[in-house]
Each structure stands twice: as C-alpha cells, then as structure tokens.
Amino acid sequence: MKQTLLVLALLISFTACNNQEPKTMKLVAGSGHEGFTDGNSADLNKPIRFAPYTENSIIFADINNHAIRIVTIDGEVTTIVGAPDKAGYQDGSAETAKFDSPHGVAYDKESDIIYVTEAGNHTVRMITKNDQGGFEVSTLAGAPDRNGFMDGPVDSARFISPHAVVVCNDGGIAVADIGNARIRKIKDGIVYTLAGGGAGENQDGTPEEASFKYVMDIVSDGESIYMADAGTHQIRKIVPGKEVTTLTLSDKLNIPHGIAVDKNKNLYIADMGTHRILKIDPKGNVTAIAGTGERGTGLLQLNKPAAVLVHGKYLWIADLNNHQIKVIEIE
C-alpha cells in the first residue's frame, strides 16, 4: 500500500511539473542485478553508452564487465569482446583482447569498424573483423601507461580518460576527452584538438577560446557537435572551425550525462542528477519524457540514466545503476 501511494505521489508531482505523464519504458535487457551473462535473460554491469549497429540492434559499452556487447530490440545480448575477468590492456583476437572500463562506442558502417574510448587505459581502440569473420582489437591512439595531453600522430598522441566517441561525416572520429576538458578529433592518423583548452571552465567563442569542465558526452547532427558538460550542467554547440555556444534552455539541467539527437534536431538528455530523460526542442524548450524525478527500479523510474540513443523508432536508455537497457517509442 505504501509503495502504491509513493508511485501515485511521484506521478502527481511529475505531471504537475511537466504537464504530462511519464512514458512507460520497455525493458530490453538486464535483470536489474549486476552480472555477466549473454542471451535473452542477460545480466549487465553498468551499461553506459550506445551506438547504432544493425537495423534492430545496438552496440553498448558495459563498464564493470570491461566488455563491448550487442543487444537486439528483442533483448538478445551477445558479447563481442571482453569479460569481467579480462580487465586490463591487450590487443589481439576477441578471445584474448582486454579492456579497462570502456566508456564510449561508435560504429562506422562504411568501414565496418567499431571504435571504443577506454577511460581506464586512456586509449581509443578499434574492433575490426578478420578474414575468418572474427573480431580483432587494436589500438588507434593513446597509451595505457602514458596518459596526458598531446596532439599529433596517433602513436604519440595522449588522452586522459576519454569518455565518448562519434563518427564524423568526413570519416574521422570525434572524442570527448574528459580529463583534458577538450573535444579531440582523429583523422588520417593525426589527433588534433577540435574545441576546448581556453581559459576558465565555461567560455564560448572560437573553438580555441572555448573552455569546458566535464566533457561527458557528444553527438553529431552531421554539421555540428553537441556536448553535454556535466560539470557546468549545460549543453554546448560546437560548429567545427567556427564557434562554440551555450544553448539557452527553458529549464535547468542536473548532471547531463548522455546526449542524443533525432532527425528534427531535437536533443535528448540523460539527466543523471534528476533520474530523468529530457527532450530539448530546437527553441530550447525542455520537457521531461521519462523518469519520475526519483530513483527507482520500475518501468516508470530510472536510477542514474547514463546514455541515450535515437535508433529506429526508439529512444534507447542506459539505466546505469539498475544495470538495464530500456526503450521508449518516439515515433
């Protein structure tokens, strides 16, 4: 009875603040308990970021399992590489390769390459297929024992806890380098700074003048890059080679941890501090579309949502502390 009254109270509070009821989420994968099993009754351990893969599946980084995995919309989970007992650093076949706290994933459909940003090893890794169709892991940039900041050739470039990665239209990749408070780009074997490094922690202007605090997640709409700055609770827009601006929003954010964009340039935010998913329209209007504002375990609630992804007709949600992946229909 007490639990029912609590849910009703949360719903009333949510509706009063947002003028709508939260959408019921569909559970795709995860038992709600940390673990590591594949299949239709899979266990996850802090899924944190997503990338589109096939029409009905996505790739995700499973932090505490040190693994890169695939999940279909029907809930079938398959591990590509990694396992909780393989934490470390090693390139090679999927059977022998090791990761340490992979945080970001991106998939380049044209080249059939999976990119992984690895916070524990301060590296950007690649997963490709060999002639037999198996997966192989190699290091694209960075080094596990030499973190820091350095642009230049990939074999000498340095990162600090890179958190997210996206594929750019020109075939390069952009990386959220949280430890260096910069957005970096890798193309044609060279790493360079795309934006960040200016004075202070919250400065707009040219990409060279701009400054960030916690470059948590990034997404591209094909022209611009949008960045969730979890340290300043703001969303920044980067027009490469031109300017960085801060979006003016109708409401405040609280630790924006994940960001996604749809074809109409609506942004979706995993707002970790309020346990909600927020939608930001092109005019800056903020609306809560999932989560009640209180952490919980049901299909109306979230516990520290960490990532969002628009793929197919769904918005995919990484429910970090519930160790689950959920979706809501947005089309």
Side-chain angles (χ1 to χ4, degrees):
M1 183 63 179
K2 289 183 178 180
Q3 185 175 5
T4 301
L5 290 174
L6 176 60
V7 172
L8 286 173
L10 290 172
L11 285 172
I12 290 169
S13 173
F14 183 94
T15 303
C17 294
N18 299 277
N19 198 31
Q20 69 173 60
E21 292 186 0
K23 291 188 178 182
T24 299
M25 291 171 277
K26 172 188 173 184
L27 176 62
V28 174
S31 65
H33 304 284
E34 60 186 49
F36 182 70
T37 55
D38 282 347
N40 278 313
S41 300
D43 289 313
L44 320 177
N45 196 341
K46 294 190 182 296
I48 190 165
R49 284 198 183 86
F50 303 140
Y53 195 46
T54 67
E55 181 179 353
N56 295 310
S57 70
I58 66 166
I59 302 167
F60 68 98
D62 199 3
I63 304 176
N64 284 358
N65 282 322
H66 309 287
I68 306 302
R69 310 174 78 180
I70 297 171
V71 61
T72 68
I73 191 62
D74 297 321
E76 180 77 21
V77 174
T78 306
T79 299
I80 299 175
V81 60
D85 60 350
K86 290 184 177 180
Y89 173 78
Q90 185 170 318
D91 286 339
S93 69
E95 292 74 25
T96 60
K98 296 179 180 180
F99 288 94
D100 186 355
S101 300
H103 270 59
V105 287
Y107 178 60
D108 188 338
K109 186 176 180 180
E110 297 298 319
S111 60
D112 196 21
I113 296 174
I114 300 167
Y115 294 98
V116 180
T117 42
E118 192 180 13
N121 283 322
H122 314 288
T123 59
V124 180
R125 315 277 291 277
M126 295 192 304
I127 303 174
T128 56
K129 289 180 182 174
N130 57 32
D131 294 339
Q132 290 74 44
F135 290 103
E136 296 280 338
V137 178
S138 60
T139 299
L140 175 63
D145 56 347
R146 293 188 296 277
N147 63 300
F149 173 75
M150 185 179 294
D151 284 337
V154 291
D155 56 358
S156 60
R158 298 291 177 259
F159 300 83
I160 301 178
S161 297
H163 265 52
V165 57
V166 295
V167 177
C168 303
N169 283 346
D170 62 3
I173 60 172
V175 174
D177 188 2
I178 190 171
N180 286 310
R182 290 170 168 86
I183 296 174
R184 317 279 291 280
K185 186 166 183 180
I186 306 174
K187 189 174 188 297
D188 298 329
I190 302 296
V191 177
Y192 62 93
T193 297
L194 199 62
E201 292 180 337
N202 185 28
Q203 179 174 306
D204 289 339
T206 67
E208 294 78 17
E209 295 170 337
S211 60
F212 313 121
K213 191 171 183 180
Y214 295 139
V215 187
M216 190 60 68
D217 198 12
I218 54 176
V219 68
S220 174
D221 65 2
E223 299 174 355
S224 303
I225 293 173
Y226 295 89
M227 185 266 288
D229 191 330
T232 61
H233 314 289
Q234 294 177 327
I235 305 301
R236 316 288 289 278
K237 180 181 179 180
I238 299 97
V239 182
K242 294 184 179 180
E243 64 176 355
V244 175
T245 55
T246 300
L247 298 191
T248 301
L249 306 179
S250 67
D251 202 354
K252 293 181 179 180
L253 309 181
N254 187 350
I255 313 178
H257 196 282
I259 187 168
V261 65
D262 67 18
K263 61 185 178 182
N264 296 316
K265 296 197 176 183
N266 296 300
L267 296 174
Y268 298 87
I269 306 298
D271 201 44
M272 184 174 279
T274 64
H275 312 284
R276 297 184 300 169
I277 304 302
L278 308 177
K279 179 180 179 179
I280 303 173
D281 71 19
K283 294 183 179 180
N285 297 309
V286 180
T287 307
I289 62 171
T292 63
E294 297 287 337
R295 71 180 69 192
T297 59
L299 289 181
L300 287 178
Q301 293 175 288
L302 299 163
N303 189 350
K304 292 194 173 181
V308 280
L309 171 71
V310 175
H311 184 46
K313 64 179 182 179
Y314 297 103
L315 182 71
W316 299 68
I317 301 167
D319 194 358
L320 185 75
N321 277 8
N322 282 327
H323 313 289
Q324 293 176 326
I325 294 173
K326 299 173 179 176
V327 296
I328 57 174
E329 288 194 34
I330 57 173
E331 292 186 5

